[in-house]
Amino acid sequence: MIYLTLIWEFLQVGLFSIGGGLATLPFLYGMTDRYPWFTREMLTNMIAISQSTPGPIGLNMATYAGYAAAGALGGVVASLALITPSIVIALVIVRILDHFRTNKYVAFAFYGIRPAVTALIAFAVLGIAQVTLLRAGAPDVASMFDYRRIALFLLLVVCIRKFKKRHSAWFLLAGAIAGLLFKL
Amino acid sequence: MELWEIFSVFFKIGLVTLGGGYAMLAILQNDLVRRLKWLPGEKLIDFYAISQSLPGLIGVNTAMFVGWHKARTPGLFAAALGVSAPSIIVILVVAMFIGNFLHVPAVKFAFNGVRAAVAAIIVDAVFAMWKSGVKDKPTFVIFLVSLAALALAPTMSPVIPVVAGAIAGVAVKTAAERRAAAQTGGGPR
């Protein structure tokens, strides 16, 4: 049953995505390989929509993924499955709050988790770059690269570094306007 | 009723928080600490710091801790549902209608541009994570090994690098501690 599959998948996402919304990305990316729920291209649209609508990005992405997989009820089921591990963990942690913060093994574990999560997200970026910046089914290597999109991408990377305090929605809006103007 | 108040306050916060994370901290500071005086500012920062190092979503985790602070376990649930509900509703509405628009050429062009922006935003996030996570030789090795493993087995579950990273972190740091203790003559830590 698709709801059970959704629950199982999003419980895992909730339990193992550490470090905020984008940490859910490698999981969703993996789902494009294993399930017919959504394509990588759709996933990238999904990230854009999640970044420009209210609420935690990870939750937005779960709702959207669940909806794409099994309709409105799927969206609700995926979201609840996503936050269930957090609720259980929070119920435990609040009771040992001060101990958890000062425990050196917790700190040691995070010392190793951070670079692993960086690698996971870096790897997911490669997949996103593939659907965003390359043309599918190009006859040869030279026509594979979509130079205008690559230029837009590089320009935006520089802009985001430069205007750090601006909300991501502005960069998405800039991308949308450029896409319309240049018929990307 | 107190639980309803917790739910509705977090519902409003969930509704106005664009982009999660840091944006949310500023809103919590303003609403919960300054206006409603539910908890002192330092306590909020503590909750936020712990939330960042726990699995799951930072915003939801922080909300749950505040809910617990206010009304224990029922408060925790009220806060979790309150902060999550708006984004579930908004995304469902967007999801129901977006499919009708994606076939319009103008929308297609716009989304092609938006996707390039998404790639840029995530690249920037990777830079930031690199700065805070890859600081020395062991963390660099963990990064490279994780990336190599993913390249060899692209369908590998992300759970594996996370758990392996945690184990490697504990092993490396514990060994470093032992070495330091041995060098100072095996004295007490």
Side-chain angles (χ1 to χ4, degrees):
Chain A
M1 203 171 112
I2 192 155
Y3 297 109
L4 288 180
T5 317
L6 276 173
I7 291 171
W8 170 241
E9 286 293 332
F10 280 96
L11 277 178
Q12 286 183 60
V13 180
L15 190 56
F16 290 102
S17 61
I18 298 170
L22 284 179
T24 58
L25 186 57
F27 290 89
L28 296 170
Y29 189 65
M31 287 178 203
T32 62
D33 287 332
R34 283 175 290 125
Y35 301 105
W37 299 340
F38 42 83
T39 61
R40 288 177 187 180
E41 207 171 36
M42 202 57 213
L43 177 60
T44 316
N45 289 346
M46 218 142 71
I47 299 164
I49 292 166
S50 300
Q51 292 235 335
S52 33
T53 48
I57 288 166
L59 188 61
N60 290 338
M61 293 186 34
T63 310
Y64 203 116
Y67 178 83
L73 185 58
V76 174
V77 165
S79 309
L80 292 182
L82 178 78
I83 61 171
T84 301
S86 312
I87 292 177
V88 174
I89 290 166
L91 281 171
V92 175
I93 294 289
V94 282
R95 289 177 173 80
I96 53 163
L97 213 53
D98 296 322
H99 184 70
F100 180 81
R101 279 194 57 207
T102 51
N103 186 294
K104 71 175 182 190
Y105 291 105
V106 172
F108 289 177
F110 278 103
Y111 168 83
I113 288 175
R114 268 180 236 123
V117 171
T118 309
L120 277 171
I121 298 183
F123 190 72
V125 168
L126 294 180
I128 284 180
Q130 199 188 331
V131 296
T132 309
L133 308 176
L134 302 183
R135 277 195 204 94
D140 57 275
V141 178
S143 56
M144 209 170 75
F145 295 99
D146 192 323
Y147 293 106
R148 292 183 312 162
R149 288 191 206 166
I150 293 174
L152 175 64
F153 162 78
L154 291 176
L155 183 70
L156 283 167
V157 169
V158 174
C159 286
I160 293 168
R161 301 245 83 191
K162 211 163 169 195
F163 306 103
K164 274 198 171 85
K165 295 212 173 99
R166 286 264 178 278
H167 193 277
S168 341
W170 291 107
F171 303 116
L172 298 172
L173 184 66
I177 292 170
L180 277 175
L181 283 180
F182 301 108
K183 296 193 191 257
L184 286 177
Chain B
M1 202 182 127
E2 194 184 27
L3 287 181
W4 172 250
E5 194 195 351
I6 294 174
F7 178 87
S8 63
V9 164
F10 276 106
F11 188 92
K12 276 178 225 148
I13 289 171
L15 200 58
V16 296
T17 308
L18 257 171
Y22 296 106
M24 182 167 226
L25 183 66
I27 293 170
L28 292 176
Q29 186 79 37
N30 194 44
D31 268 28
L32 304 183
V33 177
R34 213 165 302 146
R35 202 165 56 80
L36 295 167
K37 297 194 167 52
W38 278 7
L39 75 174
E42 306 88 72
K43 195 102 198 169
L44 180 67
I45 301 285
D46 273 10
F47 286 157
Y48 186 78
I50 301 159
S51 299
Q52 278 186 312
S53 60
L54 288 178
L57 308 163
I58 297 167
V60 179
N61 286 339
T62 311
M64 286 192 289
F65 287 131
V66 175
W68 189 82
H69 178 82
K70 191 95 174 71
R72 303 291 123 163
T73 304
L76 187 149
F77 277 98
L81 292 179
V83 83
S84 311
S87 71
I88 297 177
I89 295 167
V90 169
I91 290 288
L92 281 181
V93 171
V94 171
M96 281 170 196
F97 294 106
I98 194 80
N100 307 340
F101 294 110
L102 278 180
H103 305 290
V104 180
V107 176
K108 226 189 233 166
F109 291 141
F111 262 100
N112 284 341
V114 166
R115 278 206 297 273
V118 169
I121 288 169
I122 299 175
V123 164
D124 189 66
V126 172
F127 283 146
M129 292 177 80
W130 174 275
K131 243 193 225 161
S132 68
V134 185
K135 286 175 172 163
D136 47 20
K137 228 187 265 171
T139 46
F140 184 62
V141 171
I142 293 173
F143 173 82
L144 280 187
V145 169
S146 308
L147 205 58
L150 285 164
L152 290 174
T155 55
M156 175 171 68
S157 165
V159 173
I160 297 169
V162 171
V163 173
I167 294 170
V170 172
V172 167
K173 281 291 210 179
T174 313
E177 228 180 31
R178 290 236 178 88
R179 228 175 300 129
Q183 263 170 12
T184 55
R189 280 167 278 170

